[in-house]
Amino acid sequence: MASKESLALENLYRGWVAEMAANPSADVDELRRLFDHWGDVTAEPGGVDYIEVDAGGVPAMWAVPKQADKTKVLLCSHGGGYVVGSMYSHRKMFGHIAKAVGCRALIVDYRRAPENPLPGPVNDMVTAYRWLLERQGCTPGDIAFTGDSAGGALAITTMAAARDQGLPMPVASMPMSPWAGADTSGKSYDTNAHRDALVSRDTSAGLGGLSLGENGDPKAPLANPLYTDYRGMPPIYIQVGEAETLLDDSRRAAERAKQAGVEVKIDEFPDMQHVFQFLAGAAPEADDAIARMAQWVRPKLGLA
């Protein structure tokens, strides 16, 4: 059974859905203002400094925990359907993850759709990764990727794009609830429709259409992790809420990676909503999930 503390996220989501239903003609700027409050449910991690930087031409923010190993980096991609969300809405959640791992996090403020449709956000993430490798003295073994929802997809598709551009792979990736975009073929869209407080077929179709642009392909490998080529990728650890309509997106992405010979771990958290890790510092399920992420990735980054 979900903790009472976890209901804060469900209530936030239901409030958003009600507000969007009451204002169906809301434009992108209005949606962005709504989702700017995503981090309201996240406790301030404390002991983390935030520094805005230019990562090779892409805006980004360092989250630097006190006593962090500054040679290791989590490259973070925020969620929001490639349309909403930002490094500001997600800074506290990624700050918690960085603090648990004991290293810095670079939260990328990639250019969003519809102004920058896919694969634009993927390209911006590759630019930030290249900046770490070529301008910040990082080796591939110093870097792990993580992201949530659309950012969870980016934690996969960025590796594919980087590989195709001849860049080495990071040491690991930790997608949270990776989203297959406008592709709503997962059975959990039906089985969890009454449980998921935020994501529905309509949600995914709307944001997916904006993120793809007028002539975009919902099955493009850099837009949909269900069609990405996983060959040669490092170990992947996926976390997903068991109450999500996107549950099957995670399961199928994990299976596709396994079929390509990738080491994959997937944890499904009972009764949890979409990106429940936003409840970091406020609900036990989120703190448990982040502790598991840290335990899994620290040895891969060479952190004792």
Side-chain angles (χ1 to χ4, degrees), residues 9 12-21 26-42 78-91 112 148-149 197-200 203-204 207 210 274-275 278:
L9 186 64
L12 178 71
Y13 287 168
R14 295 197 186 282
W16 286 353
V17 170
E19 191 166 341
M20 288 186 287
D27 61 21
V28 169
D29 287 338
E30 289 175 288
L31 289 176
R32 286 173 176 166
R33 283 193 290 271
L34 188 67
F35 280 79
D36 280 345
H37 291 279
W38 220 337
D40 289 1
V41 297
T42 315
H78 70 79
Y82 308 104
V83 174
V84 301
S86 70
M87 63 185 180
Y88 303 108
S89 63
H90 283 61
R91 69 164 181 86
R112 298 171 295 188
D148 67 290
S149 194
L198 177 64
V199 183
S200 65
T203 309
S204 286
L207 289 174
L210 287 172
H274 186 52
V275 198
F278 261 108

Side-chain angles (χ1 to χ4, degrees), residues 8-297:
L9 186 64
E10 182 174 349
N11 292 337
L12 178 71
Y13 287 168
R14 295 197 186 282
W16 286 353
V17 170
E19 191 166 341
M20 288 186 287
N23 186 16
S25 61
D27 61 21
V28 169
D29 287 338
E30 289 175 288
L31 289 176
R32 286 173 176 166
R33 283 193 290 271
L34 188 67
F35 280 79
D36 280 345
H37 291 279
W38 220 337
D40 289 1
V41 297
T42 315
E44 193 68 60
V48 179
D49 295 324
Y50 299 94
I51 306 163
E52 294 188 36
V53 294
D54 180 322
V58 180
M61 178 188 293
W62 283 114
V64 186
K66 306 296 185 186
Q67 313 304 321
D69 185 324
K70 295 183 180 178
T71 67
K72 312 296 183 183
V73 177
L74 298 177
L75 183 63
C76 305
S77 43
H78 70 79
Y82 308 104
V83 174
V84 301
S86 70
M87 63 185 180
Y88 303 108
S89 63
H90 283 61
R91 69 164 181 86
K92 290 190 286 184
M93 181 182 73
F94 287 129
H96 276 279
I97 297 172
K99 190 174 178 179
V101 174
C103 69
R104 296 183 296 168
L106 184 69
I107 310 164
V108 181
D109 211 36
Y110 58 82
R111 291 169 297 160
R112 298 171 295 188
E115 301 92 335
N116 185 41
L118 287 161
V122 182
N123 294 334
D124 284 355
M125 291 301 303
V126 173
T127 295
Y129 181 48
R130 187 185 294 274
W131 179 76
L132 288 174
L133 293 171
E134 298 178 357
R135 303 293 297 275
Q136 297 299 298
C138 296
T139 70
D142 295 329
I143 303 168
F145 289 5
T146 190
D148 67 290
S149 194
L154 285 170
I156 296 169
T157 55
T158 300
M159 293 193 292
R163 179 199 59 212
D164 294 346
Q165 292 181 32
L167 294 175
M169 289 292 90
V171 74
S173 185
M174 301 184 292
M176 295 172 276
S177 304
W179 180 53
D183 182 341
T184 60
S185 59
K187 293 180 181 178
S188 51
Y189 271 100
D190 297 313
T191 57
N192 278 341
H194 64 294
R195 302 177 69 195
D196 193 310
L198 177 64
V199 183
S200 65
R201 276 200 169 91
D202 287 345
T203 309
S204 286
L207 289 174
L210 287 172
S211 67
L212 289 169
E214 187 174 347
N215 299 310
D217 179 2
K219 295 183 179 180
L222 295 185
N224 186 339
L226 303 183
Y227 294 89
T228 301
D229 180 357
Y230 286 80
R231 289 176 298 175
M233 289 190 184
I236 296 173
Y237 175 28
I238 298 174
Q239 292 187 342
V240 62
E242 181 262 340
E244 294 191 52
T245 55
L246 302 187
L247 177 59
D248 278 346
D249 286 7
S250 288
R251 289 172 171 171
R252 291 189 292 167
E255 184 57 34
R256 183 167 176 83
K258 288 177 183 176
Q259 290 173 355
V262 176
E263 176 190 328
V264 181
K265 174 181 173 67
I266 180 169
D267 279 346
E268 300 175 12
F269 291 78
D271 299 317
M272 287 297 100
Q273 292 289 321
H274 186 52
V275 198
F276 65 94
Q277 294 87 348
F278 261 108
L279 293 162
E285 295 92 344
D287 292 341
D288 172 53
I290 290 172
R292 294 191 203 186
M293 293 172 73
Q295 184 179 27
W296 182 83
V297 80

